[in-house]
């Protein structure tokens, strides 16, 4: 077998330990020599942020966070950081919170320490996203990659089972998309496959027992692997669809990813046999679609975009908005017609089979 590929691994420090977030954060701030720390956490995560920063001298606690990072929110955050001479951003929360920290870092160059409380995975990527006039723009910039990620499964215990499932399936979508993304290679595909295995086990455990520590840890581990694979492989068809419709129609990020994933997998799998084989093997199933379907059934996963804000009459417009962003390397040729068919099936929640 002859292999030829180019692979980039992003440099980042990862500290993983249940119950150790506060200790790890304090030591990391000291290691970085930060004096003016801005802690970004939504109102719902303020108690968590306070609990892990009690031994930290915080210059600014900041809670003006919104999904999809509206540009005006980014500008306010940037101004607040500049006014107080902030030298380190600490974000505690999910994708929206981490996204705001990235938006600030993108223009300021400030380092980020990320403390995730969901399985979004943004903490391990150099991908940013901003929304303006109902249109979401994403890009890649190494300045937005957090220098350190602190994982603590205890911080995810407040996630109810429904959000745990949606967030975990968002992570799973990173793995699946990494199998055929523009820079897919044997290394990030291997990381993605291990991520699928971990998420398949961990999410099933969480569904059975919301407070199971092993399940939480395994799901966090899988979410990290999914993000590393995604950061290396790039953004494929699934993420282009979800980023566009999420920003255009103000849909919840994790639930949108969870609902769209089976339709993208059914759409691409017949045209990517090697990727399909890897995904099926990671699930321990005969086919990739069967493996994902079995997991989704066990989790009672989100099934239809109509439940999360997409109107049926918006589907033709959505397809037109998405099409220019679909990577040319996608294993199946994408047209407005088959994209509309995919979105219609995902909107209604019909059985995937495109």
């Amino acid at each position: 077998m002859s292999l030829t590929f180019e692979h980039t691994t992003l440099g980042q420090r990862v500290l993983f330990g249940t119950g150790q977030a506060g200790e790890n954060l304090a030591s990391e701030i000291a290691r970085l020599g930060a004096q003016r720390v801005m802690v970004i956490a939504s109102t719902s995560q303020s108690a968590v942020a306070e609990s892990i920063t009690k031994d930290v001298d915080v210059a600014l606690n900041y809670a003006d966070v919104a999904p999809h990072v509206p540009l005006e929110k980014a500008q306010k955050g940037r101004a607040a950081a500049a006014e107080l001479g902030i030298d380190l951003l600490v974000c505690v929360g999910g994708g929206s919170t981490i996204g705001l920290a990235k938006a600030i870092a993108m223009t300021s160059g400030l380092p980020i320490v990320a403390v995730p409380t969901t399985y979004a995975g943004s903490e391990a990527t150099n991908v940013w996203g901003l929304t303006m006039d109902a249109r979401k723009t994403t890009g890649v910039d190494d300045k937005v990659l957090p220098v350190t990620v602190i994982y603590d499964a205890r911080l995810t215990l407040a996630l109810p089972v429904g959000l745990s499932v949606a967030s975990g399936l968002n992570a799973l979508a990173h793995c699946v998309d990494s199998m055929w993304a523009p820079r897919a290679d044997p290394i990030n595909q291997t990381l993605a496959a291990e991520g699928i295995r971990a998420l398949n086990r961990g999410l099933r455990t969480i569904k059975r027992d919301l407070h199971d520590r092993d399940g939480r840890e395994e799901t966090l581990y899988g979410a990290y692997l999914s993000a590393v694979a995604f950061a290396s492989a790039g953004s494929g068809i699934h993420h282009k669809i979800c980023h566009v419709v999420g920003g255009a129609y103000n849909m919840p990020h994790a639930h949108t990813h969870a609902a769209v994933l089976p339709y993208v997998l059914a759409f691409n799998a017949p045209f990517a046999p090697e990727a399909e084989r890897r995904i099926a093997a990671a699930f321990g199933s005969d086919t990739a679609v069967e493996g994902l379907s079995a997991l989704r059934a066990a989790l009672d996963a989100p099934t239809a975009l109509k439940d999360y804000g997409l109107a049926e009459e918006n589907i033709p417009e959505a397809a037109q908005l998405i099409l220019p962003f679909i990577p040319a390397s996608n294993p199946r040729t994408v047209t407005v017609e088959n994209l509309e068919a995919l979105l219609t099936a995902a909107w209604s929640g019909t059985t995937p089979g495109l």
Side-chain angles (χ1 to χ4, degrees):
M1 181 176 65
S2 175
L3 290 178
T4 303
F5 61 89
E6 179 179 330
H7 177 84
T8 300
T9 298
L10 299 177
Q12 184 179 66
R13 182 176 171 88
V14 175
L15 302 174
F16 200 112
T18 300
Q20 299 176 36
E23 176 186 348
N24 283 336
L25 178 59
S27 65
E28 197 62 10
I29 290 172
R31 184 183 74 86
L32 294 168
Q35 301 296 317
R36 305 284 295 171
V37 177
M38 176 178 180
V39 176
I40 304 171
S42 67
T43 302
S44 65
Q45 293 292 326
S46 60
V48 173
E50 288 174 10
S51 72
I52 66 172
T53 59
K54 64 182 188 304
D55 296 326
V56 174
D57 185 11
V58 178
L60 175 63
N61 284 296
Y62 195 84
D64 195 1
V65 175
H68 304 295
V69 195
L71 180 59
E72 60 272 20
K73 299 287 188 185
Q75 291 172 333
K76 286 179 63 178
R78 291 164 178 170
E83 182 180 356
L84 290 179
I86 297 300
D87 61 3
L88 178 67
L89 304 170
V90 173
C91 49
V92 182
S96 299
T97 303
I98 297 167
L100 178 60
K102 288 183 171 185
I104 297 170
M106 183 167 58
T107 56
S108 67
L110 291 172
I112 302 170
V113 173
V115 188
T117 61
T118 72
Y119 309 118
S122 177
E123 69 277 0
T125 79
N126 56 355
V127 178
W128 57 266
L130 289 170
T131 301
M132 182 174 62
D133 298 329
R135 298 291 181 264
K136 186 168 184 176
T137 302
T138 61
V140 174
D141 190 329
D142 286 346
K143 291 198 300 290
V144 309
L145 177 72
V147 296
T148 306
V149 184
I150 295 172
Y151 288 109
D152 184 338
R154 188 177 63 181
L155 304 185
T156 69
L157 290 176
L159 275 179
V161 66
L163 190 52
S164 296
V165 166
S167 184
L169 289 174
N170 180 10
L172 192 69
H174 286 85
C175 295
V176 171
D177 228 17
S178 295
M179 292 292 184
W180 43 57
R183 299 188 302 277
D185 64 46
I187 296 174
N188 47 50
Q189 288 176 328
T190 299
L191 292 170
E194 174 62 10
I196 292 171
R197 278 189 283 270
L199 290 163
N200 188 40
R201 293 189 301 260
L203 287 170
R204 289 173 184 270
T205 302
I206 290 173
K207 179 66 174 179
R208 290 193 299 269
D209 180 357
L210 189 60
H211 299 288
D212 186 281
R213 171 174 169 165
D214 290 344
R216 290 284 178 182
E217 288 185 341
E218 189 154 36
T219 304
L220 264 185
Y221 163 67
Y224 171 70
L225 289 174
S226 77
V228 173
F230 173 70
S232 170
S235 183
I237 179 175
H238 174 89
H239 283 78
K240 297 305 184 184
I241 291 172
C242 293
H243 287 166
V244 171
V245 298
Y249 308 107
N250 195 30
M251 298 169 65
H253 184 80
H255 294 81
T256 300
H257 278 270
V260 168
L261 179 58
Y263 301 95
V264 169
L265 181 57
F267 182 88
N268 263 356
F271 297 81
E274 179 58 24
E276 196 280 337
R277 183 193 63 77
R278 283 176 176 264
I279 296 168
F283 277 121
S285 61
D286 290 336
T287 71
V289 169
E290 287 175 5
L292 178 60
S293 296
L295 174 62
R296 288 172 53 82
L299 300 179
D300 191 22
T303 57
L305 291 179
K306 64 183 179 183
D307 297 331
Y308 302 104
L310 183 66
E312 186 174 16
E313 58 266 26
N314 289 332
I315 290 174
E317 177 191 48
Q320 293 285 352
L321 291 173
I322 293 164
L323 188 61
F325 296 99
I326 300 296
S329 59
N330 192 68
R332 179 176 180 179
T333 299
V334 181
T335 65
V336 170
E337 291 75 21
N338 61 25
L339 196 50
E340 281 193 30
L342 187 158
L343 289 171
T344 299
W347 174 84
S348 63
T350 55
T351 300
L354 301 165

PDB file of all heavy atoms in Angstrom, residues 213-242:
ATOM      1  N   ARG A 213     -20.039   8.792  35.922  1.00  0.00           N
ATOM      2  CA  ARG A 213     -18.768   9.484  35.684  1.00  0.00           C
ATOM      3  C   ARG A 213     -18.033   8.913  34.483  1.00  0.00           C
ATOM      4  O   ARG A 213     -17.494   9.670  33.650  1.00  0.00           O
ATOM      5  CB  ARG A 213     -17.883   9.398  36.935  1.00  0.00           C
ATOM      6  CG  ARG A 213     -16.465   9.905  36.724  1.00  0.00           C
ATOM      7  CD  ARG A 213     -15.687   9.943  38.012  1.00  0.00           C
ATOM      8  NE  ARG A 213     -14.266  10.172  37.764  1.00  0.00           N
ATOM      9  CZ  ARG A 213     -13.403  10.531  38.705  1.00  0.00           C
ATOM     10  NH1 ARG A 213     -13.805  10.712  39.951  1.00  0.00           N
ATOM     11  NH2 ARG A 213     -12.125  10.707  38.416  1.00  0.00           N
ATOM     12  N   ASP A 214     -18.001   7.588  34.368  1.00  0.00           N
ATOM     13  CA  ASP A 214     -17.284   6.971  33.253  1.00  0.00           C
ATOM     14  C   ASP A 214     -17.885   7.389  31.915  1.00  0.00           C
ATOM     15  O   ASP A 214     -17.167   7.657  30.952  1.00  0.00           O
ATOM     16  CB  ASP A 214     -17.299   5.446  33.386  1.00  0.00           C
ATOM     17  CG  ASP A 214     -16.442   4.952  34.542  1.00  0.00           C
ATOM     18  OD1 ASP A 214     -15.606   5.739  35.033  1.00  0.00           O
ATOM     19  OD2 ASP A 214     -16.624   3.796  34.959  1.00  0.00           O
ATOM     20  N   GLY A 215     -19.220   7.427  31.857  1.00  0.00           N
ATOM     21  CA  GLY A 215     -19.876   7.848  30.624  1.00  0.00           C
ATOM     22  C   GLY A 215     -19.559   9.279  30.268  1.00  0.00           C
ATOM     23  O   GLY A 215     -19.318   9.612  29.099  1.00  0.00           O
ATOM     24  N   ARG A 216     -19.553  10.151  31.264  1.00  0.00           N
ATOM     25  CA  ARG A 216     -19.229  11.560  31.040  1.00  0.00           C
ATOM     26  C   ARG A 216     -17.781  11.713  30.561  1.00  0.00           C
ATOM     27  O   ARG A 216     -17.495  12.481  29.634  1.00  0.00           O
ATOM     28  CB  ARG A 216     -19.434  12.355  32.326  1.00  0.00           C
ATOM     29  CG  ARG A 216     -20.894  12.503  32.727  1.00  0.00           C
ATOM     30  CD  ARG A 216     -21.594  13.536  31.879  1.00  0.00           C
ATOM     31  NE  ARG A 216     -23.006  13.662  32.224  1.00  0.00           N
ATOM     32  CZ  ARG A 216     -23.836  14.478  31.602  1.00  0.00           C
ATOM     33  NH1 ARG A 216     -23.417  15.227  30.611  1.00  0.00           N
ATOM     34  NH2 ARG A 216     -25.105  14.544  31.962  1.00  0.00           N
ATOM     35  N   GLU A 217     -16.879  10.997  31.204  1.00  0.00           N
ATOM     36  CA  GLU A 217     -15.471  11.107  30.809  1.00  0.00           C
ATOM     37  C   GLU A 217     -15.252  10.579  29.401  1.00  0.00           C
ATOM     38  O   GLU A 217     -14.516  11.185  28.607  1.00  0.00           O
ATOM     39  CB  GLU A 217     -14.584  10.356  31.810  1.00  0.00           C
ATOM     40  CG  GLU A 217     -14.465  11.046  33.154  1.00  0.00           C
ATOM     41  CD  GLU A 217     -13.503  10.361  34.102  1.00  0.00           C
ATOM     42  OE1 GLU A 217     -13.193   9.162  33.873  1.00  0.00           O
ATOM     43  OE2 GLU A 217     -13.073  10.999  35.068  1.00  0.00           O
ATOM     44  N   GLU A 218     -15.865   9.445  29.086  1.00  0.00           N
ATOM     45  CA  GLU A 218     -15.674   8.868  27.761  1.00  0.00           C
ATOM     46  C   GLU A 218     -16.256   9.775  26.677  1.00  0.00           C
ATOM     47  O   GLU A 218     -15.684   9.930  25.589  1.00  0.00           O
ATOM     48  CB  GLU A 218     -16.304   7.477  27.681  1.00  0.00           C
ATOM     49  CG  GLU A 218     -15.950   6.744  26.407  1.00  0.00           C
ATOM     50  CD  GLU A 218     -16.014   5.243  26.558  1.00  0.00           C
ATOM     51  OE1 GLU A 218     -16.896   4.756  27.294  1.00  0.00           O
ATOM     52  OE2 GLU A 218     -15.195   4.542  25.931  1.00  0.00           O
ATOM     53  N   THR A 219     -17.374  10.410  26.976  1.00  0.00           N
ATOM     54  CA  THR A 219     -17.977  11.313  26.002  1.00  0.00           C
ATOM     55  C   THR A 219     -17.123  12.558  25.812  1.00  0.00           C
ATOM     56  O   THR A 219     -16.945  13.034  24.681  1.00  0.00           O
ATOM     57  CB  THR A 219     -19.404  11.690  26.435  1.00  0.00           C
ATOM     58  OG1 THR A 219     -20.169  10.490  26.612  1.00  0.00           O
ATOM     59  CG2 THR A 219     -20.088  12.545  25.389  1.00  0.00           C
ATOM     60  N   LEU A 220     -16.559  13.094  26.885  1.00  0.00           N
ATOM     61  CA  LEU A 220     -15.640  14.232  26.762  1.00  0.00           C
ATOM     62  C   LEU A 220     -14.413  13.864  25.946  1.00  0.00           C
ATOM     63  O   LEU A 220     -13.951  14.639  25.094  1.00  0.00           O
ATOM     64  CB  LEU A 220     -15.201  14.707  28.146  1.00  0.00           C
ATOM     65  CG  LEU A 220     -15.932  15.872  28.795  1.00  0.00           C
ATOM     66  CD1 LEU A 220     -15.239  16.249  30.097  1.00  0.00           C
ATOM     67  CD2 LEU A 220     -15.995  17.084  27.873  1.00  0.00           C
ATOM     68  N   TYR A 221     -13.881  12.686  26.215  1.00  0.00           N
ATOM     69  CA  TYR A 221     -12.722  12.192  25.461  1.00  0.00           C
ATOM     70  C   TYR A 221     -13.067  12.082  23.980  1.00  0.00           C
ATOM     71  O   TYR A 221     -12.310  12.534  23.102  1.00  0.00           O
ATOM     72  CB  TYR A 221     -12.310  10.840  26.037  1.00  0.00           C
ATOM     73  CG  TYR A 221     -11.414   9.985  25.167  1.00  0.00           C
ATOM     74  CD1 TYR A 221     -10.108  10.375  24.873  1.00  0.00           C
ATOM     75  CD2 TYR A 221     -11.881   8.763  24.658  1.00  0.00           C
ATOM     76  CE1 TYR A 221      -9.288   9.572  24.084  1.00  0.00           C
ATOM     77  CE2 TYR A 221     -11.070   7.964  23.875  1.00  0.00           C
ATOM     78  CZ  TYR A 221      -9.780   8.368  23.591  1.00  0.00           C
ATOM     79  OH  TYR A 221      -8.963   7.576  22.805  1.00  0.00           O
ATOM     80  N   GLY A 222     -14.226  11.510  23.680  1.00  0.00           N
ATOM     81  CA  GLY A 222     -14.650  11.398  22.288  1.00  0.00           C
ATOM     82  C   GLY A 222     -14.868  12.751  21.641  1.00  0.00           C
ATOM     83  O   GLY A 222     -14.537  12.954  20.466  1.00  0.00           O
ATOM     84  N   ALA A 223     -15.416  13.691  22.400  1.00  0.00           N
ATOM     85  CA  ALA A 223     -15.648  15.034  21.859  1.00  0.00           C
ATOM     86  C   ALA A 223     -14.326  15.715  21.521  1.00  0.00           C
ATOM     87  O   ALA A 223     -14.212  16.401  20.494  1.00  0.00           O
ATOM     88  CB  ALA A 223     -16.437  15.868  22.863  1.00  0.00           C
ATOM     89  N   TYR A 224     -13.319  15.526  22.367  1.00  0.00           N
ATOM     90  CA  TYR A 224     -12.005  16.108  22.069  1.00  0.00           C
ATOM     91  C   TYR A 224     -11.424  15.503  20.798  1.00  0.00           C
ATOM     92  O   TYR A 224     -10.950  16.222  19.908  1.00  0.00           O
ATOM     93  CB  TYR A 224     -11.051  15.902  23.245  1.00  0.00           C
ATOM     94  CG  TYR A 224      -9.629  16.280  22.896  1.00  0.00           C
ATOM     95  CD1 TYR A 224      -9.276  17.613  22.702  1.00  0.00           C
ATOM     96  CD2 TYR A 224      -8.651  15.302  22.725  1.00  0.00           C
ATOM     97  CE1 TYR A 224      -7.981  17.962  22.350  1.00  0.00           C
ATOM     98  CE2 TYR A 224      -7.364  15.645  22.375  1.00  0.00           C
ATOM     99  CZ  TYR A 224      -7.021  16.976  22.193  1.00  0.00           C
ATOM    100  OH  TYR A 224      -5.739  17.322  21.834  1.00  0.00           O
ATOM    101  N   LEU A 225     -11.467  14.179  20.686  1.00  0.00           N
ATOM    102  CA  LEU A 225     -10.952  13.527  19.483  1.00  0.00           C
ATOM    103  C   LEU A 225     -11.687  14.014  18.236  1.00  0.00           C
ATOM    104  O   LEU A 225     -11.075  14.241  17.184  1.00  0.00           O
ATOM    105  CB  LEU A 225     -11.103  12.012  19.600  1.00  0.00           C
ATOM    106  CG  LEU A 225     -10.191  11.304  20.600  1.00  0.00           C
ATOM    107  CD1 LEU A 225     -10.571   9.831  20.685  1.00  0.00           C
ATOM    108  CD2 LEU A 225      -8.728  11.450  20.219  1.00  0.00           C
ATOM    109  N   SER A 226     -12.989  14.189  18.361  1.00  0.00           N
ATOM    110  CA  SER A 226     -13.782  14.633  17.213  1.00  0.00           C
ATOM    111  C   SER A 226     -13.338  16.019  16.762  1.00  0.00           C
ATOM    112  O   SER A 226     -13.257  16.296  15.558  1.00  0.00           O
ATOM    113  CB  SER A 226     -15.276  14.646  17.572  1.00  0.00           C
ATOM    114  OG  SER A 226     -15.625  15.770  18.363  1.00  0.00           O
ATOM    115  N   ALA A 227     -13.063  16.883  17.718  1.00  0.00           N
ATOM    116  CA  ALA A 227     -12.663  18.247  17.378  1.00  0.00           C
ATOM    117  C   ALA A 227     -11.264  18.287  16.775  1.00  0.00           C
ATOM    118  O   ALA A 227     -11.007  19.062  15.842  1.00  0.00           O
ATOM    119  CB  ALA A 227     -12.732  19.124  18.621  1.00  0.00           C
ATOM    120  N   VAL A 228     -10.361  17.477  17.294  1.00  0.00           N
ATOM    121  CA  VAL A 228      -9.009  17.432  16.739  1.00  0.00           C
ATOM    122  C   VAL A 228      -9.052  16.918  15.299  1.00  0.00           C
ATOM    123  O   VAL A 228      -8.376  17.459  14.411  1.00  0.00           O
ATOM    124  CB  VAL A 228      -8.090  16.549  17.608  1.00  0.00           C
ATOM    125  CG1 VAL A 228      -6.741  16.357  16.941  1.00  0.00           C
ATOM    126  CG2 VAL A 228      -7.909  17.181  18.980  1.00  0.00           C
ATOM    127  N   ALA A 229      -9.841  15.889  15.060  1.00  0.00           N
ATOM    128  CA  ALA A 229      -9.984  15.364  13.703  1.00  0.00           C
ATOM    129  C   ALA A 229     -10.561  16.427  12.776  1.00  0.00           C
ATOM    130  O   ALA A 229     -10.095  16.631  11.655  1.00  0.00           O
ATOM    131  CB  ALA A 229     -10.872  14.123  13.709  1.00  0.00           C
ATOM    132  N   PHE A 230     -11.590  17.111  13.251  1.00  0.00           N
ATOM    133  CA  PHE A 230     -12.264  18.138  12.453  1.00  0.00           C
ATOM    134  C   PHE A 230     -11.324  19.298  12.147  1.00  0.00           C
ATOM    135  O   PHE A 230     -11.289  19.804  11.020  1.00  0.00           O
ATOM    136  CB  PHE A 230     -13.495  18.624  13.218  1.00  0.00           C
ATOM    137  CG  PHE A 230     -14.196  19.795  12.587  1.00  0.00           C
ATOM    138  CD1 PHE A 230     -14.898  19.647  11.408  1.00  0.00           C
ATOM    139  CD2 PHE A 230     -14.170  21.040  13.198  1.00  0.00           C
ATOM    140  CE1 PHE A 230     -15.559  20.727  10.835  1.00  0.00           C
ATOM    141  CE2 PHE A 230     -14.827  22.114  12.629  1.00  0.00           C
ATOM    142  CZ  PHE A 230     -15.524  21.968  11.447  1.00  0.00           C
ATOM    143  N   ALA A 231     -10.548  19.733  13.145  1.00  0.00           N
ATOM    144  CA  ALA A 231      -9.627  20.849  12.934  1.00  0.00           C
ATOM    145  C   ALA A 231      -8.586  20.509  11.877  1.00  0.00           C
ATOM    146  O   ALA A 231      -8.163  21.368  11.097  1.00  0.00           O
ATOM    147  CB  ALA A 231      -8.943  21.213  14.252  1.00  0.00           C
ATOM    148  N   SER A 232      -8.192  19.253  11.836  1.00  0.00           N
ATOM    149  CA  SER A 232      -7.188  18.812  10.868  1.00  0.00           C
ATOM    150  C   SER A 232      -7.795  18.581   9.483  1.00  0.00           C
ATOM    151  O   SER A 232      -7.231  18.984   8.466  1.00  0.00           O
ATOM    152  CB  SER A 232      -6.527  17.519  11.368  1.00  0.00           C
ATOM    153  OG  SER A 232      -5.717  16.949  10.373  1.00  0.00           O
ATOM    154  N   ALA A 233      -8.958  17.946   9.448  1.00  0.00           N
ATOM    155  CA  ALA A 233      -9.548  17.549   8.169  1.00  0.00           C
ATOM    156  C   ALA A 233     -10.277  18.694   7.469  1.00  0.00           C
ATOM    157  O   ALA A 233     -10.398  18.707   6.246  1.00  0.00           O
ATOM    158  CB  ALA A 233     -10.520  16.380   8.382  1.00  0.00           C
ATOM    159  N   GLY A 234     -10.779  19.651   8.246  1.00  0.00           N
ATOM    160  CA  GLY A 234     -11.520  20.756   7.657  1.00  0.00           C
ATOM    161  C   GLY A 234     -13.013  20.535   7.715  1.00  0.00           C
ATOM    162  O   GLY A 234     -13.511  19.506   8.173  1.00  0.00           O
ATOM    163  N   SER A 235     -13.739  21.501   7.236  1.00  0.00           N
ATOM    164  CA  SER A 235     -15.198  21.507   7.329  1.00  0.00           C
ATOM    165  C   SER A 235     -15.809  20.884   6.078  1.00  0.00           C
ATOM    166  O   SER A 235     -15.581  21.359   4.968  1.00  0.00           O
ATOM    167  CB  SER A 235     -15.687  22.950   7.503  1.00  0.00           C
ATOM    168  OG  SER A 235     -17.076  23.001   7.661  1.00  0.00           O
ATOM    169  N   GLY A 236     -16.591  19.826   6.273  1.00  0.00           N
ATOM    170  CA  GLY A 236     -17.216  19.134   5.157  1.00  0.00           C
ATOM    171  C   GLY A 236     -18.664  19.553   4.976  1.00  0.00           C
ATOM    172  O   GLY A 236     -19.150  20.532   5.560  1.00  0.00           O
ATOM    173  N   ILE A 237     -19.384  18.801   4.176  1.00  0.00           N
ATOM    174  CA  ILE A 237     -20.754  19.139   3.793  1.00  0.00           C
ATOM    175  C   ILE A 237     -21.674  19.312   4.993  1.00  0.00           C
ATOM    176  O   ILE A 237     -22.497  20.233   5.034  1.00  0.00           O
ATOM    177  CB  ILE A 237     -21.324  18.074   2.820  1.00  0.00           C
ATOM    178  CG1 ILE A 237     -22.775  18.408   2.433  1.00  0.00           C
ATOM    179  CG2 ILE A 237     -21.198  16.673   3.376  1.00  0.00           C
ATOM    180  CD1 ILE A 237     -23.360  17.469   1.387  1.00  0.00           C
ATOM    181  N   HIS A 238     -21.541  18.440   5.987  1.00  0.00           N
ATOM    182  CA  HIS A 238     -22.434  18.519   7.142  1.00  0.00           C
ATOM    183  C   HIS A 238     -22.321  19.871   7.832  1.00  0.00           C
ATOM    184  O   HIS A 238     -23.332  20.531   8.136  1.00  0.00           O
ATOM    185  CB  HIS A 238     -22.122  17.401   8.136  1.00  0.00           C
ATOM    186  CG  HIS A 238     -22.910  17.521   9.404  1.00  0.00           C
ATOM    187  ND1 HIS A 238     -24.147  16.958   9.560  1.00  0.00           N
ATOM    188  CD2 HIS A 238     -22.646  18.183  10.555  1.00  0.00           C
ATOM    189  CE1 HIS A 238     -24.619  17.254  10.766  1.00  0.00           C
ATOM    190  NE2 HIS A 238     -23.718  17.999  11.384  1.00  0.00           N
ATOM    191  N   HIS A 239     -21.101  20.299   8.105  1.00  0.00           N
ATOM    192  CA  HIS A 239     -20.923  21.551   8.830  1.00  0.00           C
ATOM    193  C   HIS A 239     -21.303  22.760   7.992  1.00  0.00           C
ATOM    194  O   HIS A 239     -21.791  23.760   8.527  1.00  0.00           O
ATOM    195  CB  HIS A 239     -19.489  21.647   9.354  1.00  0.00           C
ATOM    196  CG  HIS A 239     -19.275  20.796  10.561  1.00  0.00           C
ATOM    197  ND1 HIS A 239     -19.096  19.435  10.472  1.00  0.00           N
ATOM    198  CD2 HIS A 239     -19.284  21.102  11.876  1.00  0.00           C
ATOM    199  CE1 HIS A 239     -18.980  18.942  11.693  1.00  0.00           C
ATOM    200  NE2 HIS A 239     -19.084  19.931  12.554  1.00  0.00           N
ATOM    201  N   LYS A 240     -21.097  22.686   6.698  1.00  0.00           N
ATOM    202  CA  LYS A 240     -21.527  23.792   5.850  1.00  0.00           C
ATOM    203  C   LYS A 240     -23.046  23.948   5.910  1.00  0.00           C
ATOM    204  O   LYS A 240     -23.572  25.063   6.003  1.00  0.00           O
ATOM    205  CB  LYS A 240     -21.073  23.566   4.413  1.00  0.00           C
ATOM    206  CG  LYS A 240     -19.555  23.514   4.236  1.00  0.00           C
ATOM    207  CD  LYS A 240     -18.870  24.757   4.789  1.00  0.00           C
ATOM    208  CE  LYS A 240     -17.369  24.737   4.511  1.00  0.00           C
ATOM    209  NZ  LYS A 240     -16.666  25.895   5.115  1.00  0.00           N
ATOM    210  N   ILE A 241     -23.758  22.837   5.859  1.00  0.00           N
ATOM    211  CA  ILE A 241     -25.222  22.888   5.953  1.00  0.00           C
ATOM    212  C   ILE A 241     -25.650  23.493   7.288  1.00  0.00           C
ATOM    213  O   ILE A 241     -26.466  24.426   7.342  1.00  0.00           O
ATOM    214  CB  ILE A 241     -25.827  21.483   5.787  1.00  0.00           C
ATOM    215  CG1 ILE A 241     -25.644  20.978   4.349  1.00  0.00           C
ATOM    216  CG2 ILE A 241     -27.312  21.480   6.176  1.00  0.00           C
ATOM    217  CD1 ILE A 241     -26.035  19.521   4.162  1.00  0.00           C
ATOM    218  N   CYS A 242     -25.100  22.973   8.369  1.00  0.00           N
ATOM    219  CA  CYS A 242     -25.552  23.392   9.699  1.00  0.00           C
ATOM    220  C   CYS A 242     -25.173  24.830  10.026  1.00  0.00           C
ATOM    221  O   CYS A 242     -25.947  25.558  10.660  1.00  0.00           O
ATOM    222  CB  CYS A 242     -25.009  22.440  10.755  1.00  0.00           C
ATOM    223  SG  CYS A 242     -25.697  20.774  10.639  1.00  0.00           S
TER     224      CYS A 242
END
